[in-house]
Every structure is written in C-alpha cells, then in structure tokens.
C-alpha cells in the first residue's frame, strides 16, 4: 500500500502543507495549515469510482493507468512545528 505524508512547514511568510516538493497555498497560521492538511489527508481515504487516469511524472512523461476507486493510500500528517522544536512528533490521520 502506498503511504502519502503531508508535512506542515513554514512557507511564504506563513504556513503550508507539503507533499513531496509541492506546497499548498500559504496559510496565515500554523493551526490553519495543520487543519487543512488533516482535511486533505482525510479526503484521501474517500473511495470513488474506478476510472482510466493519466498523470505526468516529474520528468514530464505522461502515463495512463486504470485506477481502482476503492484503492486508497495510507495517509499521515507530520507537524513540522513540533519536529523543529525537537519533539519529533507526528500525527497519523
């Protein structure tokens, strides 16, 4: 099973959540970014209809595949504020 990790980090004068190297919009407060990351992680758990999908990888190559609607990744939200304080805390969703 795939695991998707959203990390809440300082970004662009505020806070954002990050997946890989991609940042969300900036939020004014840490609490707002953390809540947004939790919402997105929860939404990853909602199944949908199976469908043919296409997606572009980091090298610009397009891929096509069949995605099962009930095949959902495991998600986790990692709070960068607590990690930066040395607590190393993460919160699974």
């Amino acid at each position: 099973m795939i695991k998707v990790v959203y990390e809440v980090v300082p970004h662009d004068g505020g806070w954002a959540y990050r997946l890989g190297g991609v940042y969300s919009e900036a939020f004014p407060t840490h609490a707002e970014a953390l809540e947004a990351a939790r919402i997105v992680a929860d939404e990853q758990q909602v199944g949908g209809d199976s469908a043919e999908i296409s997606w572009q990888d980091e090298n610009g190559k397009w891929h096509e595949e069949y995605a099962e609607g009930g095949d959902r990744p495991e998600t986790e939200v990692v709070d960068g504020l607590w990690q930066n304080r040395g607590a190393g805390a993460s919160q699974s969703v």
Side-chain angles (χ1 to χ4, degrees):
M1 175 178 281
I2 295 174
K3 184 173 185 177
V4 177
V5 179
Y6 295 95
E7 183 180 11
V8 177
V9 295
H11 179 65
D12 204 18
W15 290 86
Y17 59 86
R18 175 176 63 195
L19 177 59
V22 180
Y23 291 86
S24 70
E25 65 184 281
F27 294 88
T29 68
H30 170 266
E32 289 173 299
L34 184 60
E35 179 63 18
R38 288 179 177 156
I39 289 169
V40 171
D42 286 346
E43 288 174 354
Q44 282 287 337
Q45 300 304 302
V46 178
D49 295 329
S50 298
E52 292 287 331
I53 62 168
S54 59
W55 53 278
Q56 189 175 21
D57 66 22
E58 62 276 358
N59 297 318
K61 182 178 177 184
W62 283 93
H63 303 267
E64 301 218 3
E65 64 184 60
Y66 181 76
E68 290 285 337
D71 185 16
R72 308 310 310 154
E74 177 184 350
T75 61
E76 181 178 9
V77 174
V78 176
D79 187 345
L81 177 66
W82 293 107
Q83 282 190 333
N84 290 339
R85 291 183 179 170
S90 68
Q91 299 177 345
S92 296
V93 176

